[in-house]
Each structure stands twice: as C-alpha cells, then as structure tokens.
Amino acid sequence: MAEKISLSKKERLSVALRSTFLQGSWNYERMQNGGFAFAMIPAIKKLYKSKDDQIAALKRHLEFFNTHPYVASPVIGVTLALEEDRANGAEVDDAAIQGVKVGMMGPLAGVGDPVFWFTARPILGALGASLAMSGNIMGPILFFVLWNVIRWAFMWYTQEFGYKVGTKITEDLSGGLLQKVTKGASILGMFILGSLVERWVSINFTPVVSTVKLSEGAYIEWDKLPAGGAGIKQAFEQYAGGLSLSPEKVTTLQDNLNSLIPGFMPLLLTLLCMWLLKKNVSPIIIILALFVVGIGGHLIGLL
Amino acid sequence: MNIIQMILIVVVAFLAGMEGVLDEFEFHQPLVACTLIGIVSGQLVPCIILGGTLQMIALGWANIGAAVAPDAALASVASAIILVLGGQGTKGVDTAIAVAIPLAVAGLFLTMVVRTLSVVCVHQMDAAAEKGSFKGIEVWHIIAVCMQGLRIAIPAAALLVIPAATVQGFLESMPAWLTDGMSIGGGMVVAVGYAMVINMMATAEVWPFFAIGFCLAALSDLTLIALGAIAVSLALIYLKLAESGGSSNGGGSNTGDPLGDILNDY
C-alpha cells in the first residue's frame, strides 16, 4: 500500500484564501460551482497524481453548489477530508461527496444568512454609519476592520473544524447547536432592528396643531434683558430654568405623536413596508414611492 | 481632478464591482466604497457622511440564495463620484442620495446580466476540466470576477469623463422643494431595508425583543454599543432559560407550555 497522502496546512490555507473568491463566477446555471472548483484546485493537485483522477475531481466540483459564502468554509473543510480519504483509497464515491455538499449547504445557508447578513452586518453597519454620519473616519474603518477580522476568523476556523471532524460534522448539525445560534442571532437582530427603527427612520409632521399663548413669566422676556453678555447669560439661565423661548407654545402634530410613544410613525411605516413586501411589491417600487411621498408631502406642507 | 485620481477612482469602482458579487471584504458597502472614493479624490468628509447615510438605507440589502438585492456597489460609487464632481461639499449629500436609488436599480440589472454571462464562463470551465487544465478553470474564474468589476468600473469611468460643470449645472438646477422633499423621502426609505430584514427573521417568539429594542432606543443616553450589550445579554438569558426549561420537562410530548398542554388535553 502506498504512503498516506495528506493535506498540509499550506494547502488548506491556500484553499481557504481561494474560497474568498467563491462567488466570483456566480451564475444562474450552477451558481457557486466555478468558485468551489477554483478553491479546491490546490488540494486536487496535491491529492491526485494521475490525469484521469484530476479530471474526475474537477468535474465533481463543477456540479451545482450554492450557500452563504462564509458558511461554505465548513463544507469545504469536510470535502477536503473526504477527498483525502478517497485519495488514500477509501471507498468514497462521487455520490457521497456530492451528498455531503448538498446536505450541508441548505441548513448552513439557513444559519449564515440571519447571522451574517441580518445580524452582524446591520449592527456593524449601523455602528459605523452612525459615526460616519458626523464625518468621523473611525466609522468606516471600524466597520471594515471588524467585519474582515470576524469573517476571516470564521472562515479559517470553520474550515479547519470541518477538515478535522470530517463527516462527523453532519451529525453535529442535526444537534441543537445550530438552532441555538440561529435563534440567538434572531433575538439580537430583532432587538437591534427595533432600536434602529426608532433611531433612524425619520418622519416629521410639521402641521401646527395648536398655538397657546403662555402666561407671563413662563417665557423669556427678551426686551427686558440687559444688553450684551449679561443679557445672554441671563437668557441662558432662564432657558435652563425651564422658560420658553417664545410667548406662544406651538404644538405640532409631531409633538402629539411623540407624546404617545416616540417613533410611533416610523414603526407604522416599517410595518407598512413589511406588509407591502409580503404582498410581493418590489422594494425598489416602495423606495421610489417613498421619495414621491416625501416630495409631495413637503409641497403640501405636511412633512 | 487629475488623471491619477481618476485612475484610482476607477480602481475603487473595480473593487466595489468585484465585491458586489463576492460579498467578502465588503468594498461594495457604501460605508467603505464612498470613503475610499473620498480618500482618493481628496473630499473625505462629505464622502464619509454620504457613505454613512447610504449605509443606513442599505443595511437590509442582502443577496439571499439566488435572489439579488438592490445593488449597493453602483449606488455608492456613482453617487460618491457625483458628490465629488458637484463640488457642493456636505450640502450635496442629500441630492447624491436621491441619485443613488435609481442607480441601485440600474446596478441590479447589470449584475443580473453579468451573472447570466457567467454561465458561458462556467461552460468554458467544464471544457477545461475535461482536459484536466487547472489553468483553464482559474483563468475563466478570474475572467468572470473581472466582468463583475468592469460592471461598476465602466459606468464610473463614464461619469468621470462628463465635465464637472455639466454635473454641477444639473445639480444646481434642481429646485429646493425637490431636494428638500428628496431628503425627507430619504429619511423614510431606511424603513424599507429594515422591513426586508424583519420579514426574514420575525417569528412570534422574537417579536417581543423587537418591542424592547424599540422602546429602549428612545432613551438617547444609550449608545448603539450599549443597546447591543443589552441585546446580547437578553439573547443569552433567553437561550439559557429555554434550555433549562426544556430539560426539566425533558421526555414525553410535554412542550413546557402550560397553555399548549391545556389546549392539547381539551
């Protein structure tokens, strides 16, 4: 029997780096197949010496594949382990390898999408964006660095994990861990979304509901202030003491809504968007419609 | 703008285009793409603000399975270029955002075209595999990525060729009611992205957490990091409680839900 061939860390790292380009030739026919084959090349070169075996391996990995691009890493890890066994003469046929790939990609995509696209990215993005909106360069830097550290650590360690445990990982997946991660991510995500809706969706209704004349002493009497710095000081003191800036108390529609619960209208708007999306209205149509509403509402003085 | 800056902008556009499909380094996210264009064009601050504002709108744009989201790459690159050419500084941000939205649709269309063209590349890979040619597979894979890069680089280059005066003239000819209205619209558009995400995640079980987050966010003393810490704690507590609740009721068909049991018995 020939000497056992195994993949060194160098080849595994090379595969992981190449898997960064997993979606490069994403296509409507077989999706990530080109990228998967592209990533596997260093391993195939090492494991199979005969041309026929190489050709068979390449064709095997040009079959349909599609999952979330980061959780593809554990799948690649397991596939590497299987290919290694096969190269060493174990009875691993094409169907087994294909079965593992297809069997893992579905459930893993179900984790990758909520965890990365719907939890990590919105949270890191909102964190970076809230800094960036005041012109702070730390916003983009923070987002970029954190994201790539998390991504790369995840990709490398899950690929190594997949390679080490081989096919056992499929049993792990049916355990509760995966479900727990997904549920934890959705709790985190929903909480943050709730706060984002309150903080960042802005609707301001400008119509004046009431104008009440305030009693004397409840507002700053500008004409009675001393001139110069002393007057400004006194004005600030009075303002801090709760006096109003003008003799009338103006209540806009927005003030009334805010006293119900701040962010009530943004919440309604978000629920409306959700409903429209469920009715299969394209998000682009909704976005364009909101711009039209914004312009129209501004013209008639409502917004 | 000198020729070196123009070349660098096209390079940034190329990276953004590649990332638009790869989704790895996140060069196509507005926060990153706009900032990079700001760095190479020398107008850093307005571009960062544009990036931050667009990022808020694009938070929920994600490619799920075979479905393709509105394209953040073209939207951020082109609107940043328009902002730079317009020369209005931070005042131009609102207009640039309004321009970005139709561009996101155009970019979506372009990426679908390229993703269809990539089918041809994959067939070339099949042929290469048949001959056992590793090089062939690698080359065609790289060609496919480059097509995605060009998808953004070409429109960006085209925008740069348009004289700055034309862009400025166009932006200045927009009346105030239109730009004000658009920025009001921009404040509401954010909701669409959130709605997309909520639709993907919402179950009856996690809605209460949405409500808690919504109410706590009204306290402006809490930063996003503080809110994040609360959210993580709640998630951990919930998972722990769910687990211990589950184990004490372990075995049998008992769901640990008294109301459910009553309904079942009924």
Side-chain angles (χ1 to χ4, degrees):
Chain A
M1 184 160 171
E3 205 182 321
K4 189 176 185 310
I5 322 166
S6 65
L7 294 164
S8 67
K9 187 162 182 181
K10 184 168 147 273
E11 279 112 17
R12 299 200 303 267
L13 193 60
S14 167
V15 168
L17 287 173
R18 278 166 171 251
S19 75
T20 297
F21 296 94
L22 182 68
Q23 307 210 82
S25 56
W26 201 103
N27 59 89
Y28 281 115
E29 193 184 282
R30 274 168 284 166
M31 305 193 178
Q32 296 165 345
N33 68 332
F36 203 96
F38 179 79
M40 292 298 289
I41 284 177
I44 296 173
K45 274 185 182 162
K46 172 78 183 270
L47 293 174
Y48 300 104
K49 295 301 171 213
S50 91
K51 200 82 188 161
D52 287 343
D53 284 344
Q54 290 180 348
I55 292 173
L58 286 174
K59 284 163 104 174
R60 193 155 58 232
H61 294 299
L62 277 170
E63 293 296 331
F64 175 90
F65 187 75
N66 194 39
T67 188
H68 181 286
Y70 307 169
V71 300
S73 292
V75 186
I76 292 172
V78 173
T79 312
L80 288 175
L82 287 174
E83 287 286 357
E84 198 180 270
D85 289 349
R86 182 185 167 117
N88 284 308
E91 284 282 325
V92 181
D93 58 1
D94 289 2
I97 292 177
Q98 197 59 27
V100 167
K101 280 168 68 178
V102 174
M104 286 177 75
M105 71 186 191
L108 281 174
V111 179
D113 288 333
V115 171
F116 286 102
W117 293 164
F118 296 141
T119 310
R121 194 159 71 187
I123 291 174
L124 286 179
L127 182 65
S130 58
L131 288 170
M133 282 160 91
S134 55
N136 187 341
I137 184 126
M138 278 316 290
I141 293 177
L142 202 67
F143 172 75
F144 186 72
V145 172
L146 279 180
W147 181 267
N148 281 291
V149 168
I150 293 172
R151 172 183 71 87
W152 178 247
F154 179 86
M155 284 173 72
W156 172 243
Y157 287 112
T158 54
Q159 186 190 311
E160 284 291 279
F161 179 69
Y163 174 72
K164 295 218 174 79
V165 303
T167 44
K168 284 202 293 285
I169 198 174
T170 20
E171 292 156 27
D172 282 10
L173 286 182
S174 47
L177 184 67
L178 214 55
Q179 277 176 322
K180 266 167 88 175
V181 171
T182 318
K183 190 181 282 177
S186 11
I187 290 173
L188 187 59
M190 285 298 276
F191 183 96
I192 294 293
L193 279 165
S195 28
L196 288 175
V197 166
E198 209 280 338
R199 288 268 166 103
W200 294 109
V201 181
S202 76
I203 313 176
N204 209 355
F205 289 97
T206 49
V208 172
V209 178
S210 67
T211 308
V212 182
K213 197 124 186 94
L214 290 174
S215 60
E216 209 154 302
Y219 57 90
I220 303 173
E221 293 175 69
W222 294 96
D223 47 347
K224 289 181 189 159
L225 292 175
I232 297 174
K233 182 168 174 280
Q234 202 175 336
F236 271 116
E237 280 167 4
Q238 291 185 356
Y239 182 63
L243 297 193
S244 170
L245 289 174
S246 58
E248 281 108 22
K249 182 175 173 4
V250 177
T251 307
T252 63
L253 184 52
Q254 188 66 33
D255 293 331
N256 280 350
L257 290 170
N258 277 350
S259 64
L260 281 177
I261 180 171
F264 186 58
M265 286 314 287
L267 181 63
L268 286 186
L269 179 67
T270 310
L271 293 176
L272 174 71
C273 290
M274 286 173 59
W275 182 75
L276 287 172
L277 288 167
K278 280 201 178 128
K279 294 269 163 213
N280 283 325
V281 181
S282 153
I284 290 295
I285 307 258
I286 305 175
I287 289 172
L288 293 178
L290 284 176
F291 273 109
V292 172
V293 170
I295 295 166
H298 184 58
L299 277 178
I300 58 171
L302 181 67
L303 295 168
Chain B
M1 209 183 304
N2 61 43
I3 188 80
I4 296 172
Q5 287 180 318
M6 286 184 168
I7 292 172
L8 286 174
I9 290 181
V10 174
V11 171
V12 172
F14 190 80
L15 283 177
M18 281 169 53
E19 273 298 305
V21 68
L22 291 177
D23 245 333
E24 301 270 349
F25 297 99
E26 306 296 288
F27 284 124
H28 66 302
Q29 291 293 303
L31 203 50
V32 181
C34 294
T35 307
L36 286 177
I37 288 182
I39 290 172
V40 299
S41 68
Q43 297 196 21
L44 187 54
V45 173
C47 286
I48 294 178
I49 296 173
L50 173 68
T53 319
L54 270 180
Q55 186 72 44
M56 281 293 179
I57 297 177
L59 279 185
W61 295 359
N63 298 329
I64 304 300
V68 188
D71 182 48
L74 189 63
S76 27
V77 168
S79 62
I81 292 174
I82 288 169
L83 178 69
V84 168
L85 291 180
Q88 293 174 321
T90 40
K91 274 192 299 175
V93 169
D94 285 339
T95 333
I97 287 165
V99 179
I101 303 302
L103 286 169
V105 189
L108 170 65
F109 178 71
L110 283 176
T111 186
M112 286 165 77
V113 170
V114 176
R115 282 165 186 237
T116 311
L117 285 175
S118 293
V119 174
V120 179
C121 294
V122 182
H123 281 272
Q124 294 299 326
M125 287 187 195
D126 286 341
E130 206 70 56
K131 286 180 285 183
S133 158
F134 292 111
K135 249 292 83 49
I137 290 181
E138 286 167 351
V139 167
W140 279 104
H141 188 69
I142 292 164
I143 288 176
V145 181
C146 290
M147 289 199 310
Q148 291 282 1
L150 289 176
R151 166 178 79 88
I152 308 296
I154 292 172
L159 265 178
L160 286 172
V161 183
I162 301 170
T166 316
V167 177
Q168 275 166 9
F170 167 73
L171 292 180
E172 275 160 21
S173 68
M174 290 171 91
W177 59 263
L178 189 61
T179 51
D180 287 352
M182 277 178 162
S183 68
I184 292 168
M188 298 193 289
V189 158
V190 184
V192 181
Y194 299 156
M196 289 168 78
V197 181
I198 297 171
N199 269 347
M200 298 296 293
M201 303 215 300
T203 56
E205 197 177 0
V206 294
W207 267 115
F209 296 99
F210 178 88
I212 300 173
F214 180 79
C215 297
L216 284 181
L219 303 172
S220 50
D221 288 343
L222 293 175
T223 63
L224 268 180
I225 297 174
L227 288 169
I230 298 174
V232 171
S233 316
L234 279 177
L236 290 174
I237 294 169
Y238 184 85
L239 288 176
K240 185 76 197 160
L241 287 178
E243 194 182 349
S244 54
S247 58
S248 65
N249 291 318
S253 62
N254 197 331
T255 53
D257 174 5
L259 186 64
D261 293 344
I262 294 167
L263 287 174
N264 285 342
D265 296 342
Y266 186 67

